[in-house]
Amino acid sequence: MTDKSLEILTEHIKSLILEQGFTDVTFARVRKLDEYIPSFTQWLEKDYHAEMSFMENYKDKRVDPAVLVPGAKSVVVAIMNYYPENKQPGEIPQIAKYAYGRDYHKVLKKKLLKVLNQLVAEYGISGRAFVDSAPVMEKPWGEISGMGWIGKNGCLIHPRSGSYFVMGELIIDAELEYGKPAVMACGSCMKCINACPTKAIVAPGVINSEKCLSYLTIEKKDEEIWEVDSMYNRVFGCDICQDVCPWNKKSKPTTEPDFNPRNDLMKLTVDRWSEYNEQDFNRSFAGTPLMRAGYKGIQRTLKKIKAERNV
Ligand code: B12
Ligand code: SF4
Ligand code: SF4
């Protein structure tokens, strides 16, 4: 391909992605993620993945998209802002902002597949779409492609959009024009590390999941949460280390209707939660991220929140 045709194809993919409502898109050449292997290996060795044993699987594929998708040449990184226009009142049990509306896996995957199908039809390109659905190291690809840097809070930060976005990728067999790796811009700031109530950020960018309220409320399967003294009023996920980040000061509300808050989310007091039985819960929250914790997971966390409040 000539430089001109690379440029044309890259611009075409960019406009297809942005037409789907994504906030930004960047491109990286497929290669092994050599510089990330030591930190990832250490993270696993220290058991910072807690009981997420799926993080131990398919390491060869996780660190090299060419093993995951044979013939792959490019990673297309797409992000979508989910920052809500209105937030839950602080006194009710808090749901992380990414979980206010429809499950992002479904929203992003559908859009990425639309783009992929068009590329298949127009150019005979082949590839796969991923949204946290397979062993892909999404944040490192965000860094390499120039989308943003991995902040001390462990989240990818976009210089203009902050970190309230979710991400997905197309891994395709066509060459494109690639971005330059992003430069870390946290500087001497330590706000997230100091604000994390459970001290789960054990080093800049390194999260000990066992202590992280996001892990404990979403991924942990046991019937009781013993690892932390308090839930800090988090019933599903946690945004504390993002809320304090100066790069999120200018966050703009999402334009994706699927991310609008479901049902009576703004009024979910402890009492209102108590009125839900499993059937109501499943009916109300079908298709939302809350199904990952499920009725039992949410009830388990609420039990701890209630015990702390003595209600
Ligand atoms: C496992 C996981 C979790 C775990 C662990 C969190 C973590 N930070 O690793 C738990 C359950 C705690 C979690 C929580 C959350 N998650 Co999560 N999670 C993932 C998942 C599935 C894998 C991340 C992973 O590989 N972690 C392992 C660590 C070791 O890798 P890493 O974070 O990429 O870190 C690299 C750098 O830190 C770097 N590094 C560190 N030190 C050094 C030093 C040197 C010298 C170098 C070169 C590199 C380097 O190397 C690491 C790789 O080795 C991704 C999806 C995916 N498939 O990638 C979503 C993902 C990261 N999560 C996401 C979200 C939204 C969240 C929450 C915000 C949800 C919430 N509100 O509750 C929280 C945020 C918690 C936090 N502060 O990070 C988004 C993040 C979007 C963004 N802007 O960054 C992702 C990308 C999902 C998506 N598709 O949108 N998550
Ligand atoms: S998500 Fe919450 S508990 Fe986890 S590292 Fe950030 S502030 Fe700490
Ligand atoms: S709060 Fe400060 S240190 Fe933490 S991610 Fe944001 S800029 Fe970086």
Side-chain angles (χ1 to χ4, degrees):
M1 260 200 179
T2 63
D3 285 357
K4 190 70 199 157
S5 50
L6 280 188
E7 188 189 325
I8 292 170
L9 179 58
T10 310
E11 282 305 313
H12 182 56
I13 297 180
K14 193 171 181 175
S15 53
L16 289 178
I17 295 266
L18 296 177
E19 270 166 31
Q20 290 297 321
F22 283 95
T23 310
D24 202 359
V25 52
T26 47
F27 307 91
R29 185 187 298 282
V30 161
R31 64 168 172 82
K32 201 168 175 193
L33 293 171
D34 286 316
E35 70 277 38
Y36 292 92
I37 294 174
S39 50
F40 180 60
T41 309
Q42 250 193 42
W43 188 74
L44 290 174
E45 280 171 1
K46 292 195 166 168
D47 277 338
Y48 288 159
H49 58 311
E51 287 155 35
M52 294 180 289
S53 52
F54 59 86
M55 291 302 298
E56 294 164 23
N57 302 337
Y58 310 114
K59 194 169 173 191
D60 53 335
K61 292 183 175 150
R62 196 178 293 275
V63 299
D64 190 354
V67 180
L68 182 66
V69 184
K73 297 215 169 67
S74 302
V75 182
V76 179
V77 181
I79 65 164
M80 191 177 279
N81 170 25
Y82 60 76
Y83 190 71
E85 178 132 40
N86 299 307
K87 271 136 299 270
Q88 286 188 302
E91 64 279 9
I92 68 174
Q94 298 290 291
I95 294 172
K97 297 183 232 333
Y98 86 92
Y100 277 19
R102 190 166 157 74
D103 189 336
Y104 74 88
H105 299 87
K106 298 179 202 293
V107 179
L108 269 65
K109 189 77 171 268
K110 193 168 162 198
K111 290 174 187 287
L112 286 173
L113 283 175
K114 265 193 198 161
V115 174
L116 185 60
N117 289 339
Q118 194 159 341
L119 293 175
V120 172
E122 285 177 353
Y123 292 90
I125 285 173
S126 77
R128 286 175 63 188
F130 299 96
V131 183
D132 193 4
S133 47
V136 177
M137 299 197 75
E138 300 191 308
K139 291 179 284 174
W141 284 112
E143 261 187 351
I144 293 166
S145 63
M147 182 66 80
W149 70 95
I150 300 175
K152 293 181 194 172
N153 63 4
C155 296
L156 191 73
I157 302 177
H158 185 284
R160 291 176 304 284
S161 300
S163 64
Y164 290 116
F165 58 80
V166 278
M167 53 198 298
E169 302 76 32
L170 289 177
I171 300 184
I172 57 174
D173 67 353
E175 293 217 24
L176 300 171
E177 278 196 338
Y178 304 116
K180 285 199 188 72
V183 179
M184 162 73 156
C186 284
S188 58
C189 177
M190 293 284 278
K191 285 191 168 156
C192 51
I193 296 179
N194 295 334
C196 174
T198 59
K199 303 282 168 249
I201 310 175
V202 290
V206 182
I207 310 296
N208 175 2
S209 304
E210 192 74 20
K211 296 249 174 230
C212 177
L213 296 165
S214 176
Y215 167 79
L216 294 170
T217 55
I218 302 172
E219 300 290 339
K220 189 181 160 76
K221 299 287 172 255
D222 300 357
E223 279 178 23
E224 299 288 340
I225 297 175
W226 304 110
E227 293 79 358
V228 290
D229 296 335
S230 169
M231 295 314 294
Y232 298 91
N233 206 26
R234 311 290 129 175
V235 68
F236 185 90
C238 171
D239 286 332
I240 296 171
C241 56
Q242 295 189 86
D243 287 343
V244 298
C245 179
W247 293 94
N248 282 330
K249 277 206 177 119
K250 290 185 196 145
S251 302
K252 290 186 198 74
T254 181
T255 51
E256 173 53 55
D258 268 346
F259 288 157
N260 289 341
R262 279 274 182 113
N263 312 315
D264 55 355
L265 197 112
M266 298 296 167
K267 300 183 203 138
L268 279 174
T269 57
V270 171
D271 288 343
R272 177 75 190 95
W273 269 119
S274 308
E275 290 166 16
Y276 277 91
N277 61 32
E278 189 156 4
Q279 222 181 4
D280 297 335
F281 176 87
N282 290 341
R283 208 175 19 239
S284 294
F285 295 103
T288 76
L290 271 70
M291 296 307 282
R292 176 101 184 153
Y295 178 72
K296 288 198 174 68
I298 297 280
Q299 286 305 324
R300 180 254 341 244
T301 306
L302 276 171
K303 192 174 133 196
K304 193 164 163 78
I305 292 176
K306 279 191 212 166
E308 284 172 36
R309 292 183 176 194
N310 293 322
V311 287

